[in-house]
Amino acid sequence: MNATAVAAPAAIVRRSAVELSVVVPFFNPGPVVRRTVEQLVACLTEAGVAFEVIAVSDGSTDGSAALLAGMANVTVLDNPVNQGKGAALHQGFAAANGAWVGFIDADGDIDPRHLVDYLTLARTGGHAMVYADKRHTASVSGAGRARKLISVSYSTLVTAMFGLTVRDTQTGCKIIRRDVLTEVLPRLRERRFAFDLELFVATNAAGITDLHAAPVRLETRVAGSTVTTKSIVRTIRDTFTIYGRRRANHYAVYALAA
């Protein structure tokens, strides 16, 4: 199915008894996207979770979207133009039905079974969000030295600029309670990798503090990384844009009425 990402974010409305919606954004990941989604479906089925998977191809040209055709409980949105991870997530969220909404990277470095663990934590703790934290003492990372250095440098920059207590905004595995996502989504503007940071900035501005950091195991990526020098520079630039929005009170509650 072909679809074009919405131009502006909108609140999501629950339409069924689905407990967990998982959005899987991807761009030219190759065959690994099929393996990731198969593992995701298998572990959620085994855990007895009422779920749906919304896989969003962000302008992929490698035929990866076709690899997901016909999978049970999987909706595929195949966009003709690459707009960025954040844009794909906005589109997936708009189609989500679950009481909880999660997302996970498609490129094979994060085991989808983490989402089962995170859902359990979210249920029992009543948390607003459970998110992967690669700096958690129980986390294990197979990332290379250069990638780890980039990650630590960026988190240091984020802490200095925003004063967030979140040590890792960017690891691509999170679960969010629907009412929380519905509240903050209309304020989010980022269409690429800085989406994750903006999500935390918006929840902080809304006074939502029950965000639970959970350990994650990061394997060596099966698919090639979409994190390039160009994307890093753009993410830093977008980070300063988010900082400007925050100073202008864009994320404040009353801003929604403006």
Side-chain angles (χ1 to χ4, degrees):
M1 174 171 72
N2 289 330
T4 301
V6 292
I12 55 177
V13 179
R14 191 178 183 196
R15 295 178 288 271
S16 76
V18 172
E19 180 177 18
L20 175 64
S21 299
V22 182
V23 180
V24 184
F26 62 95
F27 174 65
N28 289 344
V32 70
V33 69
R34 173 82 187 197
R35 191 187 78 174
T36 298
V37 174
E38 283 180 336
Q39 289 177 339
L40 178 59
V41 168
C43 68
L44 291 172
T45 300
E46 182 181 358
V49 177
F51 73 94
E52 64 179 355
V53 175
I54 303 167
V56 186
S57 171
D58 182 31
S60 295
T61 57
D62 63 350
S64 49
L67 299 176
L68 303 177
M71 294 185 68
N73 296 324
V74 178
T75 298
V76 181
L77 304 180
D78 188 3
N79 294 314
V81 179
N82 176 265
Q83 299 182 64
K85 173 186 173 181
L89 287 173
H90 274 292
Q91 185 179 3
F93 292 157
N97 298 298
W100 297 88
V101 182
F103 61 92
I104 188 169
D105 290 345
D107 44 21
D109 61 339
I110 302 174
D111 190 331
R113 284 176 292 188
H114 281 305
L115 284 171
V116 175
D117 297 334
Y118 294 0
L119 180 60
T120 300
L121 285 169
R123 285 170 176 161
T124 57
H127 303 298
M129 182 194 305
V130 177
Y131 63 95
D133 178 5
K134 57 180 169 289
R135 297 178 67 181
H136 193 286
T137 55
S139 291
V140 178
S141 177
R145 183 175 299 176
R147 190 175 179 87
K148 289 179 180 178
L149 178 60
I150 292 170
S151 176
V152 170
S153 298
Y154 183 71
S155 64
T156 301
L157 173 67
V158 165
T159 299
M161 291 179 67
F162 298 96
L164 300 176
T165 57
V166 177
R167 295 176 300 180
D168 177 11
T169 61
Q170 299 307 111
T171 299
C173 187
K174 299 174 177 69
I175 284 182
I176 311 157
R177 203 170 64 229
R178 168 170 288 275
D179 64 299
V180 172
L181 186 59
T182 299
E183 179 176 353
V184 302
L185 192 62
R187 311 176 202 183
L188 306 185
R189 295 291 176 265
E190 289 305 312
R191 315 300 280 175
R192 296 188 180 275
F193 290 117
F195 172 90
D196 297 71
L197 169 62
E198 191 176 35
L199 175 63
F200 285 108
V201 172
T203 54
N204 180 262
I208 300 167
T209 58
D210 189 10
L211 312 179
H212 186 80
V216 63
R217 184 180 183 90
L218 294 173
E219 306 289 351
T220 302
R221 287 176 180 260
V222 176
S225 176
T226 54
V227 180
T228 62
T229 300
K230 182 179 179 180
S231 68
I232 291 170
V233 171
R234 177 159 187 158
T235 300
I236 293 173
R237 186 185 70 189
D238 292 344
T239 298
F240 280 90
T241 299
I242 294 169
Y243 181 75
R245 289 193 193 113
R246 192 187 70 161
R247 285 182 61 86
N249 289 323
H250 169 79
Y251 302 108
V253 175
Y254 67 79
L256 289 177

